[in-house]
Amino acid sequence: MQPVRRMITLCQSSQCQHMLKLKYKHGIKSPSIQHRLYCTAWEYKYRKSALFAKRQRKVNQENIPVELDIDIEERLKVKGQLLSELSSRNIHDIDIDQLERDYKKLKELEKRELELEEQKQECTKKVAILFQAKRENVESSDDIEKELKNVVDIGRQTKKQIKDLFPEVTSTAERVALTSLNLPNRLHENTPLSEDRVEDNLDIDTDKSESMSHIEIGELFDLIKFSNIGNRAFYFKDSLSLLEQALTNYFCERSRHDGYTQLTCPEFFKPLIVEGCGIESDQVLKLKERPENPSDDYLAGVSIMSFIAYVAKSRINLTNEPMKYFSSGRSYTPESENHSLGLFNATQSTKVNTFSMCRDWETCDNLLQTEKNDLWNIYKQFNIPCRIVTISSPSLHRSEEMRVEIQFWAKSLQKYLKISSVSMVTDYISRRLMIRHYKGTLPVYMVHCEALDVTRLIAILMEYGAIQQDTYSFPQLEFLDKYWIHPK
């Protein structure tokens, strides 16, 4: 008996870098079953879209990731507005004219395919009737046989036409779907097209004098422990850790008081959720791939993806609308080249986010205005220079129709930084991830709010404290007394 020999080699696929253990026996070599599983997942990684699956001739509904409902027909009806919105967002890589031609072609092909399918079904019915007639009418069987042969020939030709048409239908549908998925959300009528618009301004410290940075204050008074690998890794100590808890608890209690239900949501996400939220993959922290898990995994923590992962591919009961949720915890962002900003540019931070769902655009717009006003009333209590700004279209994410930010003045940087934001995403995400009303097929409208970036706010508050000789005192925040044990 010939022995079984094993050899380590590299997979010959141009898109696969797995090391294979090939078994040789009687001149036969074959990769392991485990590698075939790897290759399947690897090919999935290289698909153009996690949301779109090519239609198969034999469809298994369980294998389809999502059923896309992109309102491309409605958007092409106002082609001029669509072109204007793309231009204002600085998106120039989408050919709307080609999309329009492909969409018209797709409609024609689908119509032709439907006609052929109906013709095929009609032939099937006629064949059944003729077989029945042949059994019952022996004398006229020759005529029936001739007609039966004619119908069968037509049926075969029809099936061949359907088979030949199928590749063109699928390739056209793929072009339309992939282009449509890259389209951004509509723009709100109040979204500025070129420059951010300041809605309100609380300019308390008019001279905006410089101060020590929060990094220097933290090291001088032993409030922050920065890791040896740089300012990206840090630990709050003593009073700062208590302040972090106080701010988090304050905003969480305010959310409960306003009718929000607390959720503990997922922190890890698949490409389906990331792409469904209209977020570019390089804007989310990607985990290092492992041989036992070759598919993409993303770590974002508390974010809009947390809530979407909870409601994706679901029917939502909006009888007592709107439905409102909030979540608090760690949030993660990809590393940036600029590490000198300390907590202003931390890869890990603590955040409080809210998420609302409703039935229509008007309710969605009202939710944005309500949350914006509530947050502005909260942040004015800090008595620190801040402003509320409506962000211009070039700076919006693809899923956003409108975004409003609350920004605080950072003394050490001499510029405003975002602390909170409210985004109106309407039905953009729900159409892509099959989020529908409990009774009906209409998509759900959404508002996402980053109510508080705790880490960044603490860094700003530190720079407004008072330094006297060898002591440091924080700004007076009386409304936090219930939640915060003040340092002496």
Side-chain angles (χ1 to χ4, degrees), residues 290-445:
R290 297 164 295 172
E292 66 272 16
N293 183 22
S295 61
D296 294 341
D297 281 313
Y298 296 91
L299 172 63
V302 174
S303 61
I304 187 172
M305 289 171 280
S306 304
F307 300 104
I308 296 301
Y310 177 70
V311 299
K313 301 170 76 171
S314 300
R315 297 274 181 171
I316 309 298
N317 189 349
L318 292 173
T319 304
N320 300 317
E321 62 173 352
M323 297 184 70
K324 303 192 293 186
Y325 300 100
F326 81 94
S327 184
S328 65
R330 297 294 183 186
S331 180
Y332 308 91
T333 56
E335 294 185 6
S336 173
E337 294 180 359
N338 191 349
H339 301 154
S340 61
L341 298 179
L343 302 183
F344 291 147
N345 203 32
T347 56
Q348 175 178 297
S349 59
T350 302
K351 293 184 179 180
V352 178
N353 283 13
T354 67
F355 177 73
S356 305
M357 294 181 290
C358 57
R359 288 188 178 186
D360 51 54
W361 187 92
E362 288 76 13
T363 307
C364 192
D365 188 42
N366 291 334
L367 280 170
L368 178 131
Q369 300 300 327
T370 300
E371 293 191 16
K372 176 189 73 173
N373 294 333
D374 290 345
L375 287 170
W376 183 237
N377 290 331
I378 292 174
Y379 281 111
K380 286 192 294 186
Q381 299 177 86
F382 286 90
N383 290 323
I384 289 176
C386 58
R387 64 183 187 179
I388 186 165
V389 181
T390 301
I391 303 302
S392 61
S393 56
S395 301
L396 295 179
H397 299 303
R398 289 184 183 242
S399 62
E400 293 175 326
E401 184 171 310
M402 184 180 186
R403 184 170 84 241
V404 178
E405 291 184 358
I406 295 177
Q407 303 172 348
F408 273 38
W409 182 259
K411 276 189 173 184
S412 61
L413 301 181
Q414 289 290 290
K415 68 176 184 179
Y416 283 99
L417 295 178
K418 183 191 79 169
I419 295 296
S420 177
S421 65
V422 186
S423 299
M424 183 174 173
V425 298
T426 60
D427 60 346
Y428 184 88
I429 297 174
S430 61
R431 285 182 178 274
R432 284 156 172 73
L433 291 175
M434 299 169 60
I435 306 171
R436 299 287 183 267
H437 294 310
Y438 179 66
K439 294 182 179 179
T441 58
L442 295 177
V444 173
Y445 285 74

Side-chain angles (χ1 to χ4, degrees), residues 23-36:
K23 296 181 180 180
Y24 286 76
K25 185 176 180 180
H26 303 297
I28 300 175
K29 61 179 181 179
S30 61
S32 64
I33 295 177
Q34 188 179 28
H35 173 255
R36 289 200 290 273

